[in-house]
Amino acid sequence: MLAESFNPFNNLGMTALVAAIPIFLFLLSLTLFKMKGIYAALLNLGVTLLIALFIFKLPIGESLGSIVQGAVLGVWPIGYIIVMAVWLYKIAVKSGKFDVLRGSIAGISPDQRLQLLLIGFCFNAFLEGAAGFGVPIAICAVLLVSLGFKPLEAAMLCLIANGASGAFGAIGIPVGIIDAFELENVTSMKVSTLTVFTLPIINFTIPFLLIWLMDGIKGIKEILPAILVTSSTYTVTQALITVTIGPELADIIPSLLTMGVLALFLKKWQPKNIFLFEGNERKVETYSIGEVVKAWSPFYLLTLFIMIWSLPIFKGLFAEEAIFHFSLLSGVIPGSSISVSIDIIGATGTAILLAALTTILTTKTIDGKEGFQLLGKTLKEFSIPILMICAILGIAKLMTYAGMTTALGEAVAMTGQIFPLLSPILGWIGVFMTGSVVNNNTLFAPIQATAGNILGGNSSLLVAANTAGGVMAKLVSPQSIAIATAAVGQTGNESALMKMTLKYSFGLLAFVCVWTLVLTWIL
């Protein structure tokens, strides 16, 4: 915080209401006013700037520095990761690998409900664990559209499915980052362990919810064995990993294992009634093992490079003192003490870049010129969504440095013994504003831990609740909505997609809130 005080009214309730204006305005802009995401983001950026300047008294230099820092982070690393991931996908499409990949999944079963479980749930969770930052939403939504799903419905289903994996995205960073704060009685392993009391319930439920949204109770009854295989395998495996190993592989191993187990199960069992969208043909394509292995190679490479990039010994090569890690903004904006670090080679986007370049070099059906033409096309397509993300992060940084997020956190913590009921709401707010569970835990994990110590509760449980509540906001965060609509060619329809997912986000959040309160009585 760089403002003089986080409580300019000397009344925490009044201050918190004013600090919450950007959040409420964002919701109203995208739902009631039906504004395009980019316009809603820019409007809210302007409003947040005025509140920070004239109410919270954040100096003009620090205010401008906050916005620029958010914009830089929107481009690097988030925009970098998104563009690289979508470019890799486009390379797979152009080279013909994607057709084989899609066909290999469709070949497991022509039933599109089962395709949703394989792609929308399992592959979604794998990509979340490998890359995060909107990559699974973008790629899986496009995959579903190519199989005959309606664009906005595909985006909605992928956003909801992401609720089962968002807590451990990008090699478990949302939980792993907690160790960097050196909080009293709170470690990433403790938080990882305590998520086992909440997330498995949600994880087990989501496949049922997905099929219900797609084909109602009838659909659940017809493919119940497959849903049970999916839910059980993923839930049990992730729970075991979070308790015994930690957060790093809590998405990757369960998703791959679930996809494999489900594929083997479907070789022996298929539903009596095959569900197809109107106009889709029932056809099963067959490919040799070699063709399937080659088709999946871009994503094998993606996994390989990202896992290398996540190794501590590799990260050490590109620490802050390394030559490939430098700071921007410092001294550039008059009156601002804010800077932002740029990690060139150690960035996750660079790992995906190498996967894309390796795919081009090892694929005969695409050359370098075609590959870089696809990169240019990707940059053009995602320019507006990335601009929106930059504006959102600018808002988040303004709120942080002005003390607005601190005011919100302190106000909620003042509720005393009822705080555990409200604790996940902080996480929801953090992810709604930033689109990232990592950023959410960066903002609010210290507040949750402090509140837990003051109240004499389990601080690690509250941080776990902050994480779980944050995941429920990924369904509706403007950043996620922007990525999803852009991926399926529906930029401008952000308000429609938010309406489709909002009630499920609130419903899951309500469960996390009540269940967290119950857990504080039990544990």
Side-chain angles (χ1 to χ4, degrees):
M1 189 180 80
L2 298 175
E4 293 182 4
S5 171
F6 68 84
N7 189 6
F9 296 106
N10 292 319
N11 182 312
L12 195 55
M14 177 69 72
T15 299
L17 284 175
V18 174
I21 287 174
I23 298 167
F24 292 129
L25 183 57
F26 230 134
L27 281 169
L28 290 173
S29 297
L30 291 172
T31 54
L32 185 63
F33 303 146
K34 298 181 180 178
M35 294 177 66
K36 291 185 177 180
I38 181 63
Y39 299 143
L42 293 175
L43 170 64
N44 276 269
L45 179 60
V47 170
T48 307
L49 176 61
L50 292 175
I51 293 172
L53 281 172
F54 297 109
I55 297 179
F56 286 82
K57 306 299 182 183
L58 184 67
I60 181 66
E62 306 289 19
S63 297
L64 294 177
S66 302
I67 295 172
V68 176
Q69 184 188 56
V72 171
L73 292 172
V75 174
W76 196 289
I78 295 173
Y80 184 33
I81 291 172
I82 294 167
V83 169
M84 290 299 104
V86 176
W87 182 37
L88 178 64
Y89 156 74
K90 288 183 179 293
I91 291 169
V93 172
K94 183 69 174 179
S95 65
K97 294 179 183 291
F98 193 77
D99 290 334
V100 178
L101 185 153
R102 179 183 58 198
S104 68
I105 295 175
I108 294 173
S109 175
D111 191 298
Q112 296 193 284
R113 297 166 299 191
L114 298 174
Q115 293 171 0
L116 174 61
L117 292 179
L118 287 162
I119 298 170
F121 185 80
C122 297
F123 194 44
N124 186 321
F126 165 72
L127 290 176
E128 179 66 34
F133 294 104
V135 171
I137 305 300
I139 291 179
C140 292
V142 173
L143 260 171
L144 291 178
V145 170
S146 71
L147 289 170
F149 286 68
K150 294 179 181 178
L152 285 181
E153 183 182 68
M156 175 193 70
L157 292 170
C158 287
L159 284 167
I160 293 173
N162 199 242
S165 55
F168 304 107
I171 321 295
I173 292 175
V175 175
I177 198 173
I178 291 166
D179 286 336
F181 306 133
E182 299 181 350
L183 303 173
E184 184 179 351
N185 298 321
V186 179
T187 66
S188 64
M189 191 63 202
K190 285 183 179 179
V191 173
S192 178
T193 300
L194 286 171
T195 61
V196 80
F197 292 105
T198 302
L199 293 181
I201 301 172
I202 295 169
N203 296 347
F204 191 87
T205 304
I206 282 179
F208 288 88
L209 177 58
L210 294 174
I211 301 305
W212 178 75
L213 288 170
M214 186 175 175
D215 194 30
I217 297 296
K218 176 183 73 71
I220 291 176
K221 290 180 178 178
E222 289 183 353
I223 66 163
L224 182 59
I227 299 174
L228 289 173
V229 167
T230 303
S231 292
S232 301
T233 306
Y234 184 83
T235 300
V236 172
T237 307
Q238 188 181 80
L240 288 173
I241 289 174
T242 54
V243 170
T244 59
I245 299 176
E248 289 81 5
L249 298 175
D251 278 345
I252 293 177
I253 292 177
S255 58
L256 289 177
L257 181 62
T258 303
M259 190 182 297
V261 170
L262 181 57
L264 290 173
F265 175 76
L266 293 177
K267 283 190 174 183
K268 301 292 184 180
W269 179 90
Q270 290 288 329
K272 292 180 180 179
N273 298 316
I274 300 298
F275 178 90
L276 293 169
F277 289 115
E278 186 177 349
N280 282 19
E281 298 179 9
R282 176 177 175 174
K283 58 180 181 179
V284 177
E285 301 173 77
T286 57
Y287 299 95
S288 68
I289 294 177
E291 288 175 319
V292 173
V293 170
K294 288 180 181 178
W296 281 89
S297 62
F299 301 103
Y300 299 151
L301 291 167
L302 172 71
T303 306
L304 174 64
F305 281 113
I306 288 178
M307 290 187 75
I308 292 173
W309 255 242
S310 68
L311 293 173
I313 189 171
F314 184 87
K315 288 180 179 179
L317 297 175
F318 308 104
E320 291 192 12
E321 64 272 13
I323 59 172
F324 299 106
H325 193 122
F326 60 93
S327 296
L328 296 177
L329 307 186
S330 184
V332 174
I333 299 175
S336 175
S337 61
I338 295 171
S339 64
V340 59
S341 296
I342 296 294
D343 188 354
I344 298 295
I345 297 181
T348 302
T350 302
I352 307 173
L353 168 64
L354 290 177
L357 293 175
T358 304
T359 300
I360 293 173
L361 292 172
T362 57
T363 304
K364 295 180 180 179
T365 52
I366 186 171
D367 58 32
K369 181 180 179 181
E370 290 174 314
F372 283 101
Q373 285 175 343
L374 291 174
L375 176 58
K377 185 178 180 181
T378 304
L379 287 167
K380 184 177 180 180
E381 288 177 358
F382 277 82
S383 58
I384 291 178
I386 290 173
L387 177 61
M388 178 180 169
I389 291 167
C390 290
I392 293 165
L393 288 176
I395 294 168
K397 291 298 179 181
L398 269 174
M399 292 183 68
T400 298
Y401 292 126
M404 295 163 71
T405 53
T406 302
L408 288 169
E410 292 285 343
V412 177
M414 290 292 289
T415 55
Q417 295 304 314
I418 202 174
F419 176 71
L421 179 69
L422 305 177
S423 171
I425 296 175
L426 277 181
W428 192 95
I429 291 171
V431 173
F432 180 82
M433 293 305 301
T434 67
S436 166
V437 186
V438 177
N439 291 338
N440 162 53
N441 276 343
T442 301
L443 289 170
F444 292 130
I447 295 174
Q448 299 276 8
T450 301
N453 290 330
I454 292 171
L455 298 172
N458 189 326
S459 296
S460 293
L461 177 62
L462 294 179
V463 176
N466 188 73
T467 305
V471 173
M472 301 311 109
K474 290 199 74 175
L475 279 63
V476 292
S477 76
Q479 179 175 309
S480 297
I481 295 289
I483 292 169
T485 51
V488 297
Q490 295 291 313
T491 297
N493 284 327
E494 291 85 3
S495 62
L497 181 56
M498 176 167 283
K499 279 187 176 181
M500 294 168 73
T501 58
L502 190 60
K503 57 186 175 183
Y504 303 108
S505 176
F506 283 161
L508 290 169
L509 175 64
F511 164 75
V512 175
C513 289
V514 174
W515 185 240
T516 300
L517 182 62
V518 172
L519 287 175
T520 60
W521 300 334
I522 298 172
L523 300 178

